[in-house]
Amino acid sequence: QLVESGGGSVQAGGSLRLSCLVSGVTNNRYAMAWFRQAPGAEREGLAAIDSDGRPDYADSVKGRFTISKDNAKNTLTLQMNSLNPEDAAMYYCAAGGWLLCWDSGRCNYWGQGTQVTVS
């Protein structure tokens, strides 16, 4: 089970920190990732981190967003800075194999999402 939190409303240029509490993910080699989907748009992969802690980012968020994980707390985090209205969307955390999940969006586990609004 993946449970996101930390979404909300922020002014353009502001920051938000999303968290995902992870439980029941049985494969400790899975990558963890953040996706988002705005109304009428396709789901977009934003950032992923592999089991060794190596991150990867979509070009659209590189330099603004930072993904991290705390294995001791079973938490995945997405620090989002310099937010703009185009970042408004529902944000999801997910877990799965690196290629299938991060490259193809075919993740084994998904959270319910947390809404981010930027005005």
Side-chain angles (χ1 to χ4, degrees):
Q1 182 180 10
L2 307 180
V3 181
E4 302 94 337
S5 62
S9 183
V10 64
Q11 290 188 334
S15 299
L16 279 176
R17 186 178 181 89
L18 305 183
S19 294
C20 175
L21 183 62
V22 181
S23 64
V25 176
T26 55
N27 190 333
N28 61 9
R29 298 299 297 173
Y30 276 168
M32 300 293 302
W34 287 97
F35 294 80
R36 70 185 178 193
Q37 189 167 21
E42 291 188 358
R43 186 174 58 203
E44 177 187 12
L46 304 175
I49 188 165
D50 70 10
S51 57
D52 294 321
R54 290 172 295 208
D56 192 24
Y57 297 94
D59 288 342
S60 59
V61 303
K62 197 172 293 184
R64 299 190 299 126
F65 291 10
T66 302
I67 190 171
S68 61
K69 64 177 181 175
D70 185 331
N71 291 329
K73 296 182 179 179
N74 294 322
T75 300
L76 178 73
T77 299
L78 186 69
Q79 176 66 42
M80 307 188 295
N81 299 327
S82 302
L83 287 164
N84 58 64
E86 289 71 37
D87 295 315
M90 185 71 80
Y91 282 67
Y92 301 90
C93 67
W98 182 267
L99 288 178
L100 284 176
C101 184
W102 178 226
D103 285 358
S104 304
R106 290 184 285 167
C107 305
N108 296 72
Y109 300 89
W110 290 92
Q112 292 300 307
T114 185
Q115 183 71 45
V116 171
T117 303
V118 185
S119 59

